[in-house]
Amino acid sequence: MLLLLIAVLLEPSESQLVVDHSIPSKEDYLQLYQTSLVHYRNSDYQRTQYFTELALADKRYRDVMLVKCFQRCSEEGSQSSQQLFFLSLVTGEKCTRKCMKNLFGQPLQLPLWAIKDFKTRKPFSFLQFSYYQIGDLTSAYEAALVNLKYNQDSEMMQGNVNFYGRKIRDLSGMLRHEQPDSLDKFNMGVKSYTNMDYAGASQHLDSALILYVEEVTKCKILCATGYDEFEGKVLPDLNDTSTFQDQFVKLYHKVMECRYRCLGKFDKMTDLREDYLPQLLNYLQFSAFQTKDLEFAYQIAAAYLTLNPGDQTMTNNLKYYTEQLGTVPDQLTMLSSLIEENSLDMEVLSAIVGKKEMRKRLKDKQDYMLGDMGLISELNADKNILWRNSY
């Protein structure tokens, strides 16, 4: 009855607040998000929805353009010598900042709470409750699922997802805010695999692999490059008695720790027998074999053995594919480049923290994923089991 009343009370002229997610906003995402929180506190859920979506759209657009700027500017190249390394580093940084400045003007000075909110998808918490209030349960369900994916220990959002799941039957309007990521495609592929639909499994798992490479690449770029800045950031003390090399290594250590976390992005979100990427490759090579795509199966098996060289089953599979093909196919450039880059990252981080520490991390599968950010929530007794974030 409550949902019916909400739908009836809405005025049609105010319910048509639709965001075109492909057009950049004239305001930046921090301003838009702060505006949405004002409306949220005033229980104006339609405008909360509208301005939150604008903020999310602007944030996505900036992230996409940052990656494009970096990739365009990184063609300056990087050499092993110290002088050429720093020349490449400085040139790439200046080029990227100039590119972003031409697009957006001066960098935003972001407060730490805003950085944390967007990292943990907290805007989707406000968005799902606002959608619920205006009677759009399908969009509320989708927003709740996005938030839960990044806050899996949240009983609040788990309760919301269960609530919406019992109400929604038509899911055709889902995934308007964030497209499926690698893990979504992986789960779809495993479902097809379990049903012995190997053609469908191969298609989904191949998409999962492409998305994984793209997402890890983007994650690594964001570790070392940024345009919008944390307003309370402390700059290195150049009057420190430590040497330049000491200070640089400390700063670069943070970058490498961040890149290391990128590799375990999905490991903590799955319940697999091994790390995410090897398991994805394992499913994909067998699905490719079942669909008679032996060349692709060989390429995936070879990549798997680069990660797990002692696996006897995959070694036998690779031998079988070689005998059947009669030739050795080329490596998958996209995948081999990522694996080589990951290996180099491990070497650099091992040089910084020590080989003993790296062995311990790899053995314990430490991925340094961010945990609960201490988000405050309260039970809203007037809305059945729905929870509402308080700010």
Side-chain angles (χ1 to χ4, degrees), residues 63 82 89 91 150 155 170-171 227 241 273 335 337 359:
D63 285 348
Q82 183 173 334
L89 189 69
T91 303
Y150 293 86
E155 295 181 5
D170 180 12
L171 303 180
Y227 186 68
T241 55
R273 289 180 285 108
L335 188 55
S337 297
R359 285 196 296 268

Side-chain angles (χ1 to χ4, degrees), residues 354-388:
K355 294 182 178 180
K356 183 177 180 180
E357 171 64 19
M358 278 306 299
R359 285 196 296 268
K360 179 178 183 298
R361 293 186 187 190
L362 295 173
K363 180 180 179 181
D364 297 341
K365 298 189 184 303
Q366 296 181 27
D367 52 21
Y368 297 90
M369 297 294 288
L370 291 174
D372 187 359
M373 287 294 192
L375 304 183
I376 302 171
S377 61
E378 60 183 6
L379 180 61
N380 190 349
D382 298 330
K383 302 296 184 292
N384 298 323
I385 66 164
L386 283 175
W387 292 67
R388 177 174 190 260

Side-chain angles (χ1 to χ4, degrees), residues 190-207:
V190 171
K191 183 177 181 180
S192 297
Y193 183 97
T194 304
N195 294 330
M196 291 187 289
D197 174 13
Y198 296 111
S202 185
Q203 181 180 359
H204 292 311
L205 293 168
D206 187 27
S207 296

Side-chain angles (χ1 to χ4, degrees), residues 21 124 128 131 136-147 149 160-161 164-165 167-180 184:
H21 296 277
F124 284 97
Q128 62 87 27
Y131 270 127
D136 186 350
L137 293 191
T138 301
S139 296
Y141 187 27
E142 188 256 337
L145 285 171
V146 172
N147 180 274
K149 182 188 292 187
N160 287 358
V161 165
Y164 296 131
K167 300 288 185 180
I168 303 300
R169 294 295 177 264
D170 180 12
L171 303 180
S172 60
M174 299 285 282
L175 294 172
R176 296 185 304 109
H177 294 90
E178 291 200 353
Q179 295 300 312
D184 294 323

Side-chain angles (χ1 to χ4, degrees), residues 155-368:
E155 295 181 5
M156 171 191 76
M157 204 54 64
Q158 183 64 62
N160 287 358
V161 165
N162 292 337
F163 173 80
Y164 296 131
R166 293 194 297 268
K167 300 288 185 180
I168 303 300
R169 294 295 177 264
D170 180 12
L171 303 180
S172 60
M174 299 285 282
L175 294 172
R176 296 185 304 109
H177 294 90
E178 291 200 353
Q179 295 300 312
D181 61 17
S182 178
L183 186 57
D184 294 323
K185 288 292 186 181
F186 173 80
N187 290 332
M188 294 166 68
V190 171
K191 183 177 181 180
S192 297
Y193 183 97
T194 304
N195 294 330
M196 291 187 289
D197 174 13
Y198 296 111
S202 185
Q203 181 180 359
H204 292 311
L205 293 168
D206 187 27
S207 296
L209 179 59
I210 293 172
L211 287 171
Y212 176 81
V213 174
E214 291 177 353
E215 289 158 12
V216 171
T217 300
K218 174 184 174 181
C219 180
K220 288 184 176 184
I221 288 174
L222 292 175
C223 285
T225 305
Y227 186 68
D228 299 335
E229 299 176 342
F230 170 40
E231 64 184 13
K233 182 173 64 176
V234 178
L235 297 176
D237 182 6
L238 298 181
N239 294 319
D240 196 314
T241 55
S242 61
T243 65
F244 164 77
Q245 288 86 344
D246 288 338
Q247 294 188 22
F248 179 79
V249 168
K250 289 176 183 177
L251 291 173
Y252 203 61
H253 184 187
K254 295 180 180 179
V255 173
M256 297 310 300
E257 291 280 10
C258 180
R259 289 170 67 90
Y260 179 60
R261 288 195 294 269
C262 293
L263 304 182
K265 179 177 180 181
F266 295 114
D267 290 351
K268 198 171 183 179
M269 302 169 70
T270 60
D271 185 20
L272 302 174
R273 289 180 285 108
E274 56 184 330
D275 291 343
Y276 177 71
L277 181 57
Q279 191 81 323
L280 168 57
L281 297 178
N282 201 345
Y283 277 110
L284 184 54
Q285 69 86 28
F286 189 75
S287 298
F289 163 73
Q290 290 288 356
T291 57
K292 313 300 182 185
D293 190 351
L294 297 188
E295 181 175 335
F296 189 49
Y298 174 96
Q299 291 171 320
I300 297 299
Y304 181 95
L305 285 172
T306 304
L307 299 173
N308 294 324
D311 189 284
Q312 190 59 49
T313 300
M314 198 64 72
T315 301
N316 294 337
N317 289 354
L318 193 66
K319 181 180 179 181
Y320 170 80
Y321 298 141
T322 305
E323 292 172 351
Q324 294 297 311
L325 291 169
T327 59
V328 177
D330 294 333
Q331 292 183 319
L332 290 175
T333 303
M334 170 189 69
L335 188 55
S336 61
S337 297
L338 177 67
I339 292 175
E340 182 179 351
E341 183 181 280
N342 291 347
S343 177
L344 185 57
D345 281 349
M346 293 299 100
E347 287 187 35
V348 174
L349 189 56
S350 177
I352 295 173
V353 302
K355 294 182 178 180
K356 183 177 180 180
E357 171 64 19
M358 278 306 299
R359 285 196 296 268
K360 179 178 183 298
R361 293 186 187 190
L362 295 173
K363 180 180 179 181
D364 297 341
K365 298 189 184 303
Q366 296 181 27
D367 52 21
Y368 297 90

Side-chain angles (χ1 to χ4, degrees), residues 6 10 45 128-136 380 383:
I6 291 174
L10 288 179
Y45 300 110
Q128 62 87 27
F129 190 75
S130 298
Y131 270 127
Y132 169 77
Q133 289 286 0
I134 64 177
D136 186 350
N380 190 349
K383 302 296 184 292

